[in-house]
């Protein structure tokens, strides 16, 4: 009987303490659609980091009908996202810079 109580306490109290949270960050490109093919090359766009993918983003945030949301990049982050913490940096962009040549 004592063994079951100890096992239950371990499963319900101690085991969740070892659980780790993770989330995914997406880089989305929001571009204004244009009917003019010449203007397609010089379109204005903005890049957004979000925990929502390109389909979910449109339903959660206001996006104009003439704007297109495109998925660019993604990576996984470990930890919590509460308290408005910033997203973790992209590990692909953490390449050490080459030393500058001496003058």
């Amino acid at each position: 009987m004592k063994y079951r109580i100890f096992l239950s306490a371990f499963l319900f109290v101690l085991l969740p303490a070892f659980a780790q949270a993770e989330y995914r960050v997406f880089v989305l490109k929001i571009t204004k659609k244009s009917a003019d093919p010449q203007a397609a090359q010089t379109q204005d766009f903005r890049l957004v980091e979000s925990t929502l993918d390109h389909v979910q983003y449109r339903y959660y945030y206001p996006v104009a009908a003439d704007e297109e949301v495109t998925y660019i990049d993604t990576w996984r982050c470990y930890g919590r996202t509460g308290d408005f913490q910033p997203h973790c940096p992209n590990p692909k962009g953490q390449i050490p810079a080459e030393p500058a040549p001496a003058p």
Side-chain angles (χ1 to χ4, degrees):
M1 181 71 171
K2 289 183 183 181
Y3 177 72
R4 282 188 173 183
I5 293 172
F6 177 73
L7 183 60
S8 297
F10 177 75
L11 290 176
F12 292 114
V13 176
L14 300 176
L15 194 58
F18 296 112
Q20 299 232 344
E22 66 181 41
Y23 61 98
R24 188 160 287 280
V25 176
F26 295 90
V27 175
L28 305 174
K29 181 178 180 181
I30 302 176
T31 311
K32 215 158 200 20
K33 294 179 190 175
S34 176
D36 184 16
Q38 296 291 339
Q41 297 172 355
T42 61
Q43 288 181 342
D44 291 331
F45 66 90
R46 66 184 189 272
L47 294 177
V48 177
E49 281 188 5
S50 175
T51 55
L52 303 172
D53 66 15
H54 63 287
V55 176
Q56 296 169 342
Y57 188 86
R58 181 175 288 281
Y59 292 111
Y60 196 77
Y61 290 105
V63 178
D66 64 338
E67 289 182 327
E68 184 177 56
V69 181
T70 310
Y71 160 82
I72 301 292
D73 196 9
T74 186
W75 64 92
R76 187 182 325 179
C77 297
Y78 298 100
R80 297 183 51 145
T81 59
D83 300 327
F84 300 102
Q85 295 178 359
H87 300 132
C88 69
N90 188 345
K92 298 171 195 167
Q94 295 179 352
I95 300 171
E98 294 182 20

